[in-house]
Amino acid sequence: MGSDCLFCRIVAGEIPATLVRETDTTLAFRDIDPKAPVHVLVIPKEHYADVATLAQGDPGLAADVLATSAAVAEDEGLLGDGFRLMFNTGTYGGQEVFHVHAHLLGGAPLGPMLARDLA
Ligand code: 5GP
Ligand code: ZN
């Protein structure tokens, strides 16, 4: 991928981001348009389009994304009151950036899982 992908460009340092944690394989940075007091995006450095492609292509790397998410949740003081970890995927999931990212949301009650009941 690389220059066409926004988050690959953040990994490459070509676009600035407020980093909160970095490992050999993952990066965590604050969302530019936060939807909660804590809103951090956690990504694998390697490009995968979405969570399904990542989980099927490299389950170990998917586990790294979860481990980094948990470490950030602890650093941000979210373990006591809880948090939400979310992967928007594809059209129905509302995904806008096609480099897989976990949304780590917390710091206040987050309300219902979905804004509307679709069932
Ligand atoms: P999606 O809708 O794909 O699940 O989420 C994409 C997220 O990326 C959005 O929450 C959006 O605010 C965030 N975002 C988009 N562009 C940038 C950027 O340049 N920097 C950062 N830090 N976040 C971004
Ligand atoms: Zn990418």
Side-chain angles (χ1 to χ4, degrees), residues 14-91:
E14 294 168 11
I15 293 176
T18 305
L19 304 187
V20 296
R21 180 170 282 263
E22 180 169 13
T23 70
D24 287 349
T25 58
T26 67
L27 199 62
F29 52 93
R30 298 202 188 278
D31 196 291
I32 204 168
D33 181 20
K35 304 294 192 295
V38 176
H39 189 174
V40 172
L41 302 176
V42 184
I43 67 170
K45 289 181 175 175
E46 190 178 343
H47 183 91
Y48 284 89
D50 60 37
V51 69
T53 312
L54 171 64
Q56 291 171 348
D58 191 341
L61 184 55
D64 290 350
V65 170
L66 291 185
T68 296
S69 301
V72 174
E74 181 168 31
D75 288 348
E76 299 285 325
L78 303 182
L79 294 188
D81 289 326
F83 58 90
R84 190 168 289 160
L85 191 65
M86 214 171 65
F87 292 90
N88 294 329
T89 305
T91 305

Side-chain angles (χ1 to χ4, degrees), residues 1-2 5-9 44-48 98-100:
M1 241 330 190
C5 171
L6 178 63
F7 289 173
C8 281
R9 295 188 69 189
K45 289 181 175 175
E46 190 178 343
H47 183 91
Y48 284 89
F98 286 84
H99 181 132
V100 58

